[in-house]
Amino acid sequence: MTEEKRLAKNNRIREKGKETRLRRQSQICRVFRVKIDFSHLNEFEKTQLKMIFVEAKWLYNDVLTFSNSNEINEYDYKITTVHGLDKDKQPVIRELEYLSSQMKQSVIQGIKHNIKSLSVMKKHGRKIGSLKYKSNYESINLQQYGNTYKFCDKKHVKIQGIKRPIKIEGAEQFFDISGIEFANAKLLNLPDGYYVAVTTFQHKGGGTKKYKPEIGIDMGIKTSITTSEGKKIKVFVGETKRLKKIQRRIAKRKKGSSNRYKMRKLLRKEYQKLDNRKKDKANKIVNELLKHEKVYMQDENLSGWQKGFFGKTVQHSALGIVKAKLIKHERVVVLPKNIATTKTCPKCGKINKDITLSDRIFECQCGYKEDRDIHAAKNMILLSKNTCGTQGIFYPNAFGEDVRREHKQKCCNADLDELGSPNSYERG
Ligand SMILES: [Zn+2]
């Protein structure tokens, strides 16, 4: 390629990038997961899919070793063999047969990214460790739609390096949306199977939607969510019998035995299923709540509940996910923790301090009486608008802007944790 051609090409790429960024401003980003139908693959393809992740792990660990004593940018991504240790910790040389060059690049880029985010955290005064070797590689980036992966139709996806299109489940969620655009995707190796998580962009819908009237919600332990309309929503997802059975069986197996290892794999799968059910439930609840024009809620301290005597009930509840999803939404008003939503009487405005957790009915001297949770949910709306009580109880600007900012910050840090925290690498 001549110098002139090269410059022209760079220019084209730059222009295209600009164009895309401009278009993205009027689009919303959503990530969908489709499951790979493993049973429809032939033996070779099954090995291929498995080995992609094994080789990615080998490569990852090799790059990590390299980066300990060298500049990571000097690592040759065209490499076809890597160094590693076998079961008895003896050095071996392994060949990379299944990993495509783009996948190799994405593994190496992933490490670079992690190193960078670690150094950012260090700059901000956070305590950091170093990256750990992986025993399991979970996610491979498929950089470019049409190049590293492509949907053939609703039921099939083509992935670079694998000859036949792969049968998938779940593309109906997004395939027929008009004007949908696909960005990058991730090939995932999860305890319950292989997935492709695809990032999509679609047009923001016009703002002429009709909403239901505004609603207040109270999050509690027993029924979990109560609305100001008097509806009680259960968010508890029960442990399966199978999970308990597996846990019991693991306890009986010898530590370090291959049987125990197998059982632990099963356990991870069960937890993944439980997690999926929780997410599903949370999505449905959030979707239902957001049909209302505005949702009023309080920033309740759920992690505090977990430590306390409510433990397991909270652990298996989708409440945390529901809260996290709602708090970020623009049509949700969040009241700060310190506002007494349960104790304040909406009629006279008196704060009834002697209400305890066991009082299921709120009763005020002025004669007002209501179910405790419904009362609290109704109060969310009233207190947010400073219209609670005739005596003029007034919470200056109860709208929880600060809460939201604080929460967003926490979320960002959590993202960093997932990328860079040394602890997150020692899974499984
Ligand atoms: Zn009262």
Side-chain angles (χ1 to χ4, degrees), residues 272-375:
Q272 171 89 42
K273 278 186 185 166
L274 198 66
D275 226 44
N276 290 348
R277 275 203 287 277
K278 258 196 267 183
K279 274 184 199 154
D280 179 55
K281 194 152 208 169
N283 279 337
K284 280 174 183 155
I285 292 170
V286 170
N287 194 7
E288 203 50 50
L289 287 173
L290 286 174
K291 283 180 184 164
H292 294 265
E293 195 185 344
K294 246 186 187 152
V295 182
Y296 296 88
M297 60 179 271
Q298 190 167 29
D299 184 29
E300 244 131 335
N301 185 10
L302 299 186
S303 57
W305 289 352
Q306 199 153 5
K307 277 174 209 133
F309 52 93
F310 296 118
K312 234 174 188 162
T313 325
V314 177
Q315 197 189 339
H316 293 308
S317 127
L319 207 57
I321 312 172
V322 172
K323 188 191 154 191
K325 276 182 184 266
L326 283 177
I327 226 163
K328 279 188 268 181
H329 200 275
E330 55 201 358
R331 282 189 287 110
V332 177
V333 178
V334 187
L335 275 109
K337 277 177 208 144
N338 55 357
I339 289 184
T341 47
T342 312
K343 289 174 182 156
T344 313
C345 169
K347 202 175 165 197
C348 66
K350 192 186 166 212
I351 295 181
N352 293 278
K353 283 202 172 125
D354 47 346
I355 288 257
T356 59
L357 256 180
S358 54
D359 290 330
R360 297 321 304 166
I361 302 277
F362 177 88
E363 223 175 333
C364 182
Q365 284 162 343
C366 71
Y368 175 83
K369 205 173 160 187
E370 175 72 284
D371 174 278
R372 174 209 177 90
D373 297 328
I374 301 175
H375 149 74

Side-chain angles (χ1 to χ4, degrees), residues 119-184:
S119 84
V120 169
M121 272 171 27
K122 201 174 176 186
K123 254 185 217 158
H124 287 140
R126 295 258 305 256
K127 224 173 128 185
I128 59 160
S130 54
L131 294 178
K132 291 253 163 68
Y133 291 105
K134 276 185 197 260
S135 58
N136 206 358
Y137 204 85
E138 285 170 346
S139 150
I140 290 172
N141 202 12
L142 304 173
Q143 198 55 258
Q144 247 177 340
Y145 184 72
N147 197 356
T148 43
Y149 81 105
K150 193 178 175 166
F151 291 106
C152 310
D153 52 59
K154 237 184 252 189
K155 287 278 170 209
H156 296 89
V157 66
K158 175 90 182 65
I159 289 173
Q160 194 183 43
I162 298 176
K163 247 186 184 165
R164 291 191 313 167
I166 300 172
K167 190 157 181 279
I168 47 169
E169 293 288 341
E172 305 82 21
Q173 302 172 81
F174 55 84
F175 200 78
D176 289 328
I177 298 173
S178 74
I180 194 161
E181 283 178 42
F182 301 111
N184 70 322

